[in-house]
Amino acid sequence: MMQWLLALVMAMVGGIVAIAATGTDEAEAATQRTLHIPASAFTPRIGGIGYNNLGLYVQQAGGTVGQYFHAPVWLEGETATVHSVTLHYLDRGPSGVCAYLRRPKPNFTGYKTMAAMCTRGDFNSIRAKTDSIIQPDFVGVTTTPYVEVTLPPGGAYRVYGVTIVYTSNG
């Protein structure tokens, strides 16, 4: 029993020494991460919009025109490469819900759409739709992205959140 315990302790110490010896290289290596943006993070782009957002989902409460909702995105690291964006939604109507990952252009002269996905009448169940063709896929500290969601009027459409899978460096 004592020999087994001694072997375990030696293996653990060896592993800790190996990690300490390579600590700086491991810290600087790219790390894949997943960021989930919950429905509670979304707010209307303009004021005066009737909407419901009690945390579980965001939904336009009325009106006759679809509206835009924004949520900030903070990707960890000095730079990040986005691999996929997934919209979690409910679509019980003839229109659709759309989600976009966008980032500002230099000097805030507009925006660049990195990912886009739209639904069309996926009735009566919560679903996920993913865009894994991200163009451009690179984000630096000066180009903080955001998610924009368009919701048609009425209660047939809900957004439960957006998930972003990315690799961070630095």
Side-chain angles (χ1 to χ4, degrees):
M1 174 79 171
M2 192 60 137
Q3 291 173 335
W4 176 83
L5 183 60
L6 182 59
L8 178 63
V9 169
M10 292 302 289
M12 290 174 60
V13 169
I16 292 170
V17 170
I19 290 171
T22 62
T24 56
D25 292 337
E26 301 253 344
E28 293 174 5
T31 304
Q32 184 164 320
R33 302 181 187 279
T34 301
L35 172 68
H36 181 71
I37 302 162
S40 58
F42 288 90
T43 57
R45 183 173 71 178
I46 59 174
I49 303 301
Y51 72 102
N52 299 315
N53 188 342
L54 301 176
L56 179 60
Y57 60 85
V58 62
Q59 164 185 60
Q60 191 172 335
T64 58
V65 178
Q67 296 297 332
Y68 299 94
F69 294 82
H70 288 172
V73 174
W74 183 258
L75 302 178
E76 193 173 332
E78 290 182 27
T79 61
T81 302
V82 178
H83 302 290
S84 66
V85 179
T86 302
L87 169 66
H88 306 278
Y89 67 94
L90 176 65
D91 178 350
R92 296 182 294 197
S95 295
V97 176
C98 292
Y100 308 93
L101 177 62
R102 293 189 164 144
R103 69 177 193 191
K105 287 183 177 179
N107 299 322
F108 299 98
T109 58
Y111 60 83
K112 177 70 177 167
T113 299
M114 299 172 64
M117 64 224 72
C118 293
T119 70
R120 281 286 182 249
D122 297 327
F123 292 98
N124 295 324
S125 63
I126 298 171
R127 300 199 179 211
K129 189 168 202 117
T130 300
D131 184 352
S132 56
I133 303 172
I134 313 298
Q135 296 295 328
D137 62 358
F138 177 78
V139 176
V141 291
T142 60
T143 57
T144 303
Y146 62 95
V147 173
E148 180 177 270
V149 171
T150 59
L151 281 167
Y157 310 93
R158 297 176 179 174
V159 169
Y160 291 88
V162 173
T163 302
I164 300 172
V165 176
Y166 68 99
T167 303
S168 66
N169 297 298

